[in-house]
Amino acid sequence: MGLLRDWNYIERAVQIPALSEVIREALIRALFVRDDRVLPKDLIADLNRVPPVTVKVKDDGEVRKLVRVLNGEESTLSLGLSAEDYHYFRTQLGVGRTREFGAVVRPRTLLTYDWIVPEQRGVQLDFGGYAGIEFADGAHRAIAQVGATWKQLYDDGAAKGHAVPFVPTVPLDFAIGDAMCGDAPFASYRGEFTSYVNALRTISPFGHRARLGFEEVANNGTAYDLLHATVPLAAEFFIPVAVALRLEAKPAARKTLTYAFDDGAKLAAALDKLSRTSQTPSWVHITEAVAAKILRPAVASGAFTAQVTVGGSASGLAAKEKAIDTAMAGFTSKNAELPNPFDVPADGYRKSAEAVARSLFVGEVRVPAKSFGDFAGKVRTFGDQTAAKAGVYGSLRHTGIVSAFPFFSAPKDRSKVYDLSKGVRAIASRIPGTTFTSRLAHLWEEEAHFMRRMAFLRSLKLTIDTAHVVQPLVSP
Amino acid sequence: MASLDYAYRRLVNTLGPERVARSEFERMVYSHDFASLPKVALLQWKLYPDFVALPQTTEEVAALVKLSDESLLQLTPRGGGTGWYGGSVPNRGGVLVDMRKMNRVVAFDPDGRTVTVEAGMTWKDLEDFVDAKGFALPIVPVNAIGSTVGGSINSGSSGFGAPRGGSLRDAIAVLQVVLPDGTLLKTASEADAGGHLANLTPLFFGAEGTLGIITEATLRIVPKPETSKAIAYAFPSLAAGARFLKEMVDVALVPYHATLASRDHFIFERALHPDSPDPADIALVAVQGSKDEVADQERTVDGLASKEAGAKLAPAVTDQLWRERYNNYSARRLSRGLVTSHNLVPVSRLPEAVETALEIRDKLKLNGAVQAFLVDSTTAALVPYVLMDDTRPSGGTALGFVKRMGDAAFKMDGHSMGLGLFLVFNLRKMHGRATSFISAVKVVFDPRKKINGGKTLEVWTKYPWPGLRAIPPPGMAVGLEIAAVLRRAKPTRDRFVRAYEHGKEE
Ligand SMILES: Cc1cc2nc3c(=O)[nH]c(=O)nc-3n(C[C@H](O)[C@H](O)[C@H](O)COP(=O)(O)OP(=O)(O)OC[C@H]3O[C@@H](n4cnc5c(N)ncnc54)[C@H](O)[C@@H]3O)c2cc1C
């Protein structure tokens, strides 16, 4: 259950004589959809095996102990289970068997799809109940346990005078930890989620508490920035239990400006222009008609909507609004009252997240703002051709790139996910400067430098996790 | 090991005689960086390189790296040599690779908003280039004039523009690196993949030249601001100036830059440049945005400054401060040398941090000044410096200041910056149990420790014999602590500037 694990599995699979005849992509497809016409039955059975034991984490001490048990350093007895549970645990885990088993963190909300290779024998950690958030006094930082939801962080932060700078481009009910093992698309206008991570509290593969980075300050100048190199894959290197996040002060005034566009090309030009000004909105969220209907069913919307949230002093807001209006020229209407997807009561947010989650997502496409209209148009046409009505959520970065999440109203079976992913990859490849960055796209990619980078990451994982206990790599 | 003469011939065959140096004088120039080192350091390290090589292309850098397999000579990459902790200074001689001849712009992409440059280009040259094209850099390291793109990335530097433009790490789109095995690696995807597609760039941010030699960097550029304005205030105390910086963060004002320098700094400046501003604890703030926004931000900043009794300086003085923003250490000319301590501390504790720096300076009877600037919404850089006369036996004791300041930064939930050759003992303080994870990075990229070996993670000496090969890092800490104690015991303080003493009495 992790990108490195899947990638390693594919790398090993292509070397197996019986499978080496199958071209890489066909093999990925077969493994992804569990195709029994291509793959041996026992291999599929192996892939379909899920972790037999799930531990609901209440305290990081339990994780430490568990890691030591998996390491063989402590006996299962030390887990303090009831006799019945103890017996179950030992038989399920196969303690004493030769095969490796490890611990895997289960994300709360997965935007796209499950990994190819599940943790087959080990323990799945459910951090749903490990969800505390601590805000610093007099400073703008929070320490969120990985099970805490983004929405709780956002609301509690605001109540305490902080602004949580990043929002999920696809407004699902993510936990903060999902950004380290799932595919939670947190970002702001000015930065990716990683820019706001000061430190990670982790349990090392040897069962120790180990902190990566510095909770109160940035970690510049402290040797290799392993923290920021691994945040999106952190759960494959260590077991992250809490994240120290850099927040900002809540501005005196905030406003969400909603611009409607009847044409993708006009929206794209406006987004490009906005990103070429010195404006620094908190975030810019984009929906086309299908996405807008899901998020705001009661409101009639145009072909495209861009919501821009700005903060500042009450007097400064007017100047910002004026500058943003000028950049967004080409809109058909503007509304300063429409709520944004994030500043709504928690219940409402959760309900709307449930509606959003019904769609099938294939992952992120990074597209230059000026090509966003073209991209959205191509996605819609592709959806129409494949009888899977399509839409897009997006958010603009100050770099002039839109992080776009196309989605489809289609059943979420693995074949469909695969075929739609391929279609989106084909669209991305036809638009200059555009990249599809989904997990499947990582597995398809064969560029030489990319392959070396992945191999380095794998070596790094193996050097850090010599105990082979944090999602150990497996081969077919 | 091949003979040095043979190694020299091989180097000359690769680069030509004019780009390989081995004279005593040239080697001496490269035996230190910006920091002054007491002579006693030569007992421990071979600070003089055997050769200095000046490559002009990535292929030449790769050839140098491959040559070291034959010669078994250590490679030390060097940019402007403006670092403070010996990262760009050899510890066992070997080949010093001066990157400054690789200083060209390789590509400029206004559409994708990136510029690709060779690693030896200075930030000032790059800033001028980008400016002429109608763009700006999101962040410019403080020492833009002397430091190079590759050097700053390897130092994990921060600088002008950080509160608004973000970390230098995030301003890097991709790096091209010659790895210790002589092969080339692009650290990220060419397209803007937002940190996905296996982005290894962060590993090179702060690597201190120990993972490979960066030959090219593709950096993000930003549109030039419609308007920008610098504003400066004199405060009744340094702590008041620090509170002012903190309050800016607390009201969610994001300046382009906000920096603070103590009165002593301006006394030193005055001693050298009579036209420099009247000595005071001065904060310099730059704001950017549309014309209306800039005016509004200025009003907010004025309000915050007046809460701390800050007096606004005349525009001519402010302009001068802004123009001279990259010249920070002219005080070095007052003494023989300068010792700088670079730390990151929580913004919320900046007032306490600046006072602590002054206290430590006074306890150690040193002449020095304190500088600080905002890095992001949680972090401030605290950069005090002290003057040192390394011609006197007592001069080296000033190095104790760096140790004491670093310890104070850790106590305030911050950390010192940079490890290099002298501060490796801070590694474990920084990372605790995660130190082994950090060390794993070197193991993976440079298992044979060919590039800048024996630094950052461990302290090699010049001696190859077991038992003497390396100094336990805590040993270095003890040495610097002794220096601090001796410094405290010294009955008199150094007097570099009479004007300074005079100013103190006023
Ligand atoms: C006035 C002044 C102000 C400063 N302000 C700051 C500051 O605000 N923040 C800060 O962090 N530092 C600061 N410094 C310290 C120093 O200037 C910076 O760290 C600077 O960015 C280093 O750049 P350089 O080119 O001089 O690198 P060098 O000192 O030459 O090298 C620094 C390190 O990088 C390695 N290196 C250099 N080039 C390469 C390359 N191409 N490939 C691989 N490794 C390489 C070296 O081996 C060495 O370990 C300041 C220094 C001065 C003199």
Side-chain angles (χ1 to χ4, degrees), chain A residues 314-386:
Chain A
S315 54
L317 226 46
K320 288 189 188 196
E321 183 169 351
K322 203 170 103 193
I324 292 170
D325 282 354
T326 311
M328 297 297 277
F331 58 84
T332 49
S333 65
K334 178 187 155 192
N335 184 337
E337 306 303 324
L338 202 66
N340 68 58
F342 312 111
D343 291 292
V344 291
D347 274 354
Y349 182 81
R350 224 158 284 138
K351 225 183 244 146
S352 123
E354 276 166 24
V356 172
R358 273 180 227 125
S359 308
L360 181 160
F361 288 88
V362 293
E364 184 189 24
V365 178
R366 312 273 304 185
V367 52
K370 62 179 189 310
S371 306
F372 177 74
D374 182 21
F375 172 73
K378 286 192 163 89
V379 167
R380 195 180 45 236
T381 312
F382 171 62
D384 292 345
Q385 284 163 355
T386 51

Side-chain angles (χ1 to χ4, degrees), chain B residues 14 49-50 55 170 268 281-282 438:
Chain B
T14 309
D50 293 303
D170 295 337
F268 297 145
D281 296 310
I282 294 177
I438 305 289

Side-chain angles (χ1 to χ4, degrees), chain A residues 220-221, chain B residues 33-35 61 75-89 97-100 102 118-123 140-160 168 176-178 204 206-216 257 325-330 332 338 340 342 344 371 373 375 381 383 417-418 420-421 451-452 455-456:
Chain A
N220 303 38
Chain B
D33 55 12
F34 194 80
V61 174
L75 292 170
T76 307
R78 182 170 172 119
T82 67
W84 292 318
Y85 309 125
S88 63
V89 178
V97 185
D98 181 338
M99 296 297 290
R100 282 175 302 174
M102 292 188 65
E118 290 179 335
M121 188 172 207
T122 65
W123 286 96
V140 184
V142 174
N143 178 27
I145 295 169
S147 67
T148 62
V149 168
S152 302
I153 291 170
N154 270 282
S155 308
S157 291
S158 185
F160 286 90
L168 175 58
Q176 177 176 274
V177 188
V178 174
F204 292 84
E208 303 191 334
T210 60
L211 293 189
I213 303 184
I214 298 179
T215 55
E216 277 180 26
H257 196 66
R325 66 190 181 280
Y326 298 140
N327 291 325
N328 282 289
Y329 298 108
S330 33
R332 198 185 194 197
L338 197 89
T340 311
H342 201 296
L344 298 184
Q371 299 189 323
F373 60 90
V375 172
V383 199
M417 262 183 86
L421 193 51
I451 304 205
N452 237 355
K455 292 186 195 166
T456 305

